[in-house]
């Protein structure tokens, strides 16, 4: 069974840091595209960052300079280092992966529907 499992979500104060981890099991190595998405209460899911198997990345504008993604292709894992967290970062964070190559990974930042494998999410709360 293919699955992604996120961890690392917590409640922190403004300016704090968290590291989210996504561990994959049952997946073929090197998904073409992986990403982190988030969904705040009452809002639509939005892309935070996508990263291709080649390591190229694309970030949501509001997290640039604060969030850093990395992937370990050998372990099929994904990490999101989040620094200088703000209350507007509060959301459920989801890891996603996909193997299709019909479009570029970087074009999928705001295209959650192009990912076919999702985790259950990990909750991040940032208080002011």
């Amino acid at each position: 069974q293919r699955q992604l499992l996120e961890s690392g979500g917590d409640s922190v104060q403004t300016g704090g840091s968290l590291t989210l981890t996504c561990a994959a099991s049952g997946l073929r190595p090197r998904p073409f595209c992986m990403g982190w998405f988030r969904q705040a209460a009452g809002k639509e899911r939005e892309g935070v960052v996508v990263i291709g198997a080649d390591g190229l990345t694309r970030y949501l504008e509001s997290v640039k300079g604060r969030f850093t993604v990395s992937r370990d292709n050998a372990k099929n894992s994904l990490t999101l280092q989040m620094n200088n967290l703000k209350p507007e970062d509060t959301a459920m964070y989801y890891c996603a992966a996909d193997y299709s190559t019909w479009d570029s990974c970087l074009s999928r930042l705001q295209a959650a529907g192009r990912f076919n494998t999702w985790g259950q999410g990990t909750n991040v709360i940032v208080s002011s």
Side-chain angles (χ1 to χ4, degrees), residues 4-5 9 15 18 24 35 38-39 41 45 47 53 58-59 62 65-66 69 80 82 84 89 92 99 101 106 124 128:
L4 299 171
L5 182 62
L18 286 173
R38 67 187 183 187
Q39 188 166 16
R45 189 169 297 191
R58 185 177 179 186
Y59 289 88
S62 63
R66 300 189 296 122
V69 68
L80 184 66
M82 305 188 297
N84 191 22
D89 296 318
M92 186 71 77
Y99 294 87
T101 59
L106 301 188
V124 173
S128 57

Side-chain angles (χ1 to χ4, degrees):
Q1 182 180 359
R2 300 187 304 176
Q3 64 178 2
L4 299 171
L5 182 62
E6 303 96 334
S7 62
D10 205 343
S11 179
V12 297
Q13 292 188 330
T14 298
S17 297
L18 286 173
T19 301
L20 305 185
T21 300
C22 172
S25 65
L27 270 67
R28 289 180 284 118
R30 295 175 62 89
F32 176 71
C33 190
M34 299 187 76
W36 286 98
F37 291 76
R38 67 187 183 187
Q39 188 166 16
K43 295 187 177 181
E44 293 187 354
R45 189 169 297 191
E46 67 174 352
V48 175
V49 59
V50 291
I51 179 169
D54 55 7
L56 293 179
T57 60
R58 185 177 179 186
Y59 289 88
L60 179 69
E61 192 66 32
S62 63
V63 307
K64 284 183 179 178
R66 300 189 296 122
F67 291 11
T68 303
V69 68
S70 60
R71 64 183 282 177
D72 185 331
N73 288 326
K75 297 181 179 179
N76 256 4
S77 64
L78 196 65
T79 301
L80 184 66
Q81 177 64 44
M82 305 188 297
N83 298 325
N84 191 22
L85 283 161
K86 303 176 180 181
E88 51 263 42
D89 296 318
T90 294
M92 186 71 77
Y93 283 71
Y94 298 90
C95 175
D98 196 80
Y99 294 87
S100 62
T101 59
W102 64 276
D103 64 347
S104 72
C105 178
L106 301 188
S107 71
R108 305 182 194 184
L109 180 61
Q110 297 305 335
R114 297 183 191 173
F115 289 83
N116 65 7
T117 303
W118 290 84
Q120 295 299 307
T122 186
N123 203 21
V124 173
I125 300 173
V126 185
S127 58
S128 57

